[in-house]
Amino acid sequence: MKKFLAVLLLLVIICSGYKLIKVGMRKAETISKPINSADDKEKRIQKHIKLIKEFLQNKTKYNKDIVFLIDMKIMSGRNRFFIYDLKNDKIIDKGLVAHGCGSETGIENKLKFSNVDKSLATSLGKYYVGESYTGQFGKSYKLYGLDSSNSNAYMRNIVLHKFSKMPYDEQVTPVCNSYGCPMVNEIYFKRIEKILDASDKKILLEIYY
């Protein structure tokens, strides 16, 4: 009888441990799970578009037809830089974009962000795209932070630029990192450049997570 009870107790302990392991695994999956579904991505876009439209009211400095969005919840190997048509409420172009190497945490699908100089991290928030210049990566555009979370962007030399080693097509692995700048493929940059140079008003760019 004692042996039977001992075996029964052992089975109960093993089953309980297995359940705890499964729960822990499910929690870990939830924490690290990136945005994959089209519905999740669209909901996040619409949430930020609503806020941007409110911000643009009574603002004459900014372009009210086009806005750039970068969703950092999406894995970097997937298209997450969106060009959005505010008048017709639709995405008109999309491409890959890198985040700063300082935003890496060592945990898959989990990023951190900073407004601190030399952090090499991406800063969240609204920017407006400023004047172009020719630098290390060729033609690039200065970025000016509009929120407390990215107010040091200009001082940190955070710019929108291209990079020859950035892939054009989506992939299952992450792309290379930048030093904190939104960095895109050369082909995609040409399409962004065309929009920026044709605009007589400043275009907003929002990076969110």
Side-chain angles (χ1 to χ4, degrees):
M1 185 67 179
K2 287 183 178 179
K3 286 184 178 180
F4 174 76
L5 290 173
V7 171
L8 186 63
L9 180 62
L10 181 62
L11 287 172
V12 169
I13 292 170
I14 291 170
C15 289
S16 299
Y18 177 70
K19 286 180 181 178
L20 286 171
I21 290 169
K22 284 189 73 177
V23 169
M25 288 175 68
R26 281 199 295 268
K27 285 182 178 178
E29 287 171 0
T30 302
I31 291 169
S32 63
K33 187 177 180 182
I35 297 294
N36 287 319
S37 77
D39 285 344
D40 286 344
K41 180 181 73 178
E42 185 61 28
K43 284 177 184 176
R44 289 168 61 76
I45 287 172
Q46 290 307 319
K47 173 187 173 183
H48 288 275
I49 287 298
K50 181 182 178 182
L51 294 173
I52 285 169
K53 285 182 175 179
E54 290 173 359
F55 174 81
L56 286 173
Q57 287 180 358
N58 304 317
K59 301 263 192 339
T60 59
K61 178 179 179 178
Y62 305 115
N63 188 314
K64 296 185 179 182
D65 297 333
I66 295 289
V67 67
F68 300 153
L69 300 172
I70 298 176
D71 188 345
M72 286 292 168
K73 272 286 185 185
I74 299 174
M75 194 269 287
S76 66
R78 302 297 184 190
N79 291 330
R80 57 179 183 171
F81 187 125
F82 305 105
I83 300 176
Y84 195 90
D85 180 339
L86 290 168
K87 278 193 170 181
N88 296 300
D89 276 317
K90 64 178 182 179
I91 295 169
I92 57 175
D93 206 350
K94 56 188 176 181
L96 301 177
V97 60
H99 56 257
C101 58
S103 286
E104 294 291 348
T105 63
I107 302 171
E108 188 178 4
N109 301 318
K110 184 177 178 63
L111 299 177
K112 62 182 180 180
F113 305 94
S114 176
N115 191 32
V116 176
D117 190 26
K118 298 180 182 178
S119 66
L120 305 182
T122 294
S123 295
L124 300 180
K126 293 186 297 298
Y127 302 76
Y128 75 81
V129 184
E131 64 278 7
S132 66
Y133 72 100
T134 302
Q136 179 183 354
F137 299 99
K139 187 174 182 179
S140 305
Y141 292 87
K142 298 278 189 180
L143 293 179
Y144 296 82
L146 297 172
D147 296 318
S148 59
S149 56
N150 63 2
S151 57
N152 293 326
Y154 183 82
M155 181 266 290
R156 292 178 61 207
N157 293 315
I158 300 301
V159 302
L160 173 60
H161 70 84
K162 59 194 171 186
F163 184 47
S164 60
K165 290 184 171 56
M166 270 291 292
Y168 178 74
D169 296 316
E170 289 186 299
Q171 57 187 47
V172 295
T173 55
V175 299
C176 52
N177 291 331
S178 71
Y179 285 166
C181 300
M183 180 176 75
V184 300
N185 170 271
E186 291 178 320
I187 297 171
Y188 190 47
F189 184 85
K190 286 182 180 179
R191 301 205 295 270
I192 296 171
E193 174 188 15
K194 188 176 180 181
I195 292 171
L196 287 169
D197 291 350
S199 178
D200 58 352
K201 294 189 177 183
K202 303 301 183 184
I203 292 178
L204 291 182
L205 179 153
E206 181 168 16
I207 302 177
Y208 56 91
Y209 186 67

